[in-house]
Amino acid sequence: MLRFVLAALLLPLAAHAASTGSAAKKPNILFIAIDDQNDWVGPLGGHPLVKTPHLDRLAQRGTTLLNAHCQSPLCNPSRTSLMLSLRPTTTGVYGLSPWFRSLDSWKDRVALPQYFKSHGYRTYNTGKIWHGGGGGPQARAQEFDVWGPAGGVGARPDKKLIPATPGGNHPLMDWGVFPHRDEDKGDHIIASWALEQMKTAPKDQPFFLAVGFFLPHVPCYITQKWYDLYPGDDSILPKIKRDDRADTPRFSWYLHWDLPEPRLKWVEENKQWHNLVRSYLASTSFVDAQIGRLLDGLEASGLADNTVIVVWSDHGWHLGEKGITGKNTLWERSTRVPLIFAGPGVRAGGRSTQPAELLDIYPTLVELAGLPARTDLEGLSLVPQLKDPAAKRARPAITSHNQGNHGIRSEKWRYIHYADGTEELYDMVNDPGEWTNLAGHPAHAAVLAEHRRWLPRLDSPMAPRSASRTLSYDPATDEAVWEGKTVRRSDPIPGLQ
Ligand SMILES: [Ca+2]
Ligand SMILES: [Ca+2]
């Protein structure tokens, strides 16, 4: 009897679904990247004053991975890892070069959008998804079907707004207010193009629409309206410990040895700390507003119910913590990133503290879209956490910055191992700022042992033609080589004199 009632109830639904085609229709994917966005967004709570109302409403619609970390704290290796679901320690891609398709081992590897294309999706790209634009104008057609505007900085001032920065006054090292139109910013332009694709995409084919925002990557140029969302006083500054590096190994400096990103010392001496933090926060709010435009457009198009949304950032950014600005560290501010899913198959309002990795996005989207699972991915699907935020993960999140340097983030701890064998350990519950390195304390021997066992077994040397932010180390001579230049124990740390 019960079976008959259920069948009677289900039959009309099934008939309806068949007639409209909705039962078989795969969900669209709206794949949103933010560049250099750390955990200073509302859903992650990394900054008490940040205003991101649109990410907040997306988080209410979906599930936030509160303990998500990049696999490399740098654009090219992070994005390569995410798009292939392979660790940097597998591919050997650690620097801003090479483009992975120039490597024999990976040139034919099926990247995430290609896999969706092979299952009937039409794929779109605008802004920065692949570092380097997908191999250049000739090669990029194999990565996505349709290429929109490249985005980037957009409107920029005639000359830099801040004083000349150390290490060559790099043109990207700039921030602050200058008068321009929001519509002339690269991120506004790409959002407008993406909105147009939602309206005009073929109705009989699902889409994979990738939108890669540039801000809050430097230069953080912003208009007064966005700057005025934040006060200009000390309340916006991150909490720091002045002698924080006293208990971090010297090798921790080698990971960001000589860079265009200024040290906190320079930022303070040039009275730029408030301006940098305020410009970064304002840029975060500007990108949030562009994401809001995409969410509104999706609602207006009637596609919201059948579109999976994922928002991610490629890695974080320091704004004074540990004496530096920039990325290229294995600490929380550099590895922790926004990762939010919403749409069909995702619980509304979910917040998971389980460790998650950006290379999990690939298998997660494959599962949410109902595509055949792949057995050659190194990520794990997050679908269990998207249904039940408390569902346990089998492993911690791992971040690598060149061979031999790894951060292991579990639910409660961060463990760091450097290539010269030195270590750090932080109690992330009681010391979220990672101020006190516990690695030398005998009381934590068991915790250290538990985390050491997650160090990558495959720890590849850098791939051929690696360049920019590369580091190697020879234990026989105790010499490190940063971007082709030898670094010795006695060398003064650049930017601290
Ligand atoms: Ca980046
Ligand atoms: Ca410290």
Side-chain angles (χ1 to χ4, degrees), residues 26-73:
K26 296 188 180 87
N28 303 302
I29 309 290
L30 178 56
F31 184 80
I32 302 172
I34 318 178
D35 205 352
D36 290 20
Q37 176 65 64
N38 63 19
D39 60 356
W40 289 6
V41 295
L44 295 193
H47 193 292
L49 300 180
V50 74
K51 295 186 172 83
T52 55
H54 302 288
L55 285 173
D56 295 348
R57 73 171 152 125
L58 179 67
Q60 284 170 8
R61 264 192 62 189
T63 290
T64 304
L65 285 307
L66 296 165
N67 197 6
H69 300 270
C70 63
Q71 272 50 79
S72 172

Side-chain angles (χ1 to χ4, degrees), residues 34-36 74-75 79 128 217 314-315 327:
I34 318 178
D35 205 352
D36 290 20
L74 187 63
C75 301
R79 289 163 187 257
K128 181 171 164 184
H217 193 295
D314 60 352
H315 51 77
K327 40 219 177 191

Side-chain angles (χ1 to χ4, degrees), residues 332-353:
E332 194 85 345
R333 184 87 336 117
S334 192
T335 73
R336 189 180 183 218
V337 287
L339 179 57
I340 306 171
F341 289 86
V346 182
R347 176 194 281 227
R351 290 167 62 79
S352 175
T353 59

Side-chain angles (χ1 to χ4, degrees), residues 308-424:
V308 171
I309 305 170
V310 58
V311 174
W312 54 272
S313 162
D314 60 352
H315 51 77
W317 224 73
H318 286 242
L319 291 100
E321 305 90 342
K322 296 249 177 332
I324 60 166
T325 70
K327 40 219 177 191
N328 307 138
T329 85
L330 296 172
W331 297 302
E332 194 85 345
R333 184 87 336 117
S334 192
T335 73
R336 189 180 183 218
V337 287
L339 179 57
I340 306 171
F341 289 86
V346 182
R347 176 194 281 227
R351 290 167 62 79
S352 175
T353 59
Q354 294 291 307
E357 302 183 285
L358 289 179
L359 53 69
D360 298 331
I361 293 174
Y362 193 150
T364 304
L365 291 178
V366 165
E367 186 172 354
L368 287 173
L371 309 188
R374 293 184 55 152
T375 56
D376 58 348
L377 306 180
E378 292 187 323
L380 299 174
S381 172
L382 292 161
V383 167
Q385 287 69 39
L386 300 183
K387 295 187 183 307
D388 172 12
K392 284 283 175 200
R393 292 276 286 179
R395 64 192 193 195
I398 302 169
T399 306
S400 301
H401 185 33
N402 287 293
Q403 186 184 32
N405 309 293
H406 311 290
I408 311 288
R409 180 63 159 93
S410 58
E411 246 193 308
K412 293 182 178 152
W413 301 89
R414 171 176 296 280
Y415 166 71
I416 298 174
H417 175 98
Y418 295 106
D420 69 346
T422 50
E423 298 175 306
E424 296 173 37

Side-chain angles (χ1 to χ4, degrees), residues 243-245 247-248 434-437:
D243 63 345
D244 202 359
R245 299 296 282 263
D247 63 354
T248 69
E434 301 168 313
W435 287 348
T436 305
N437 178 8

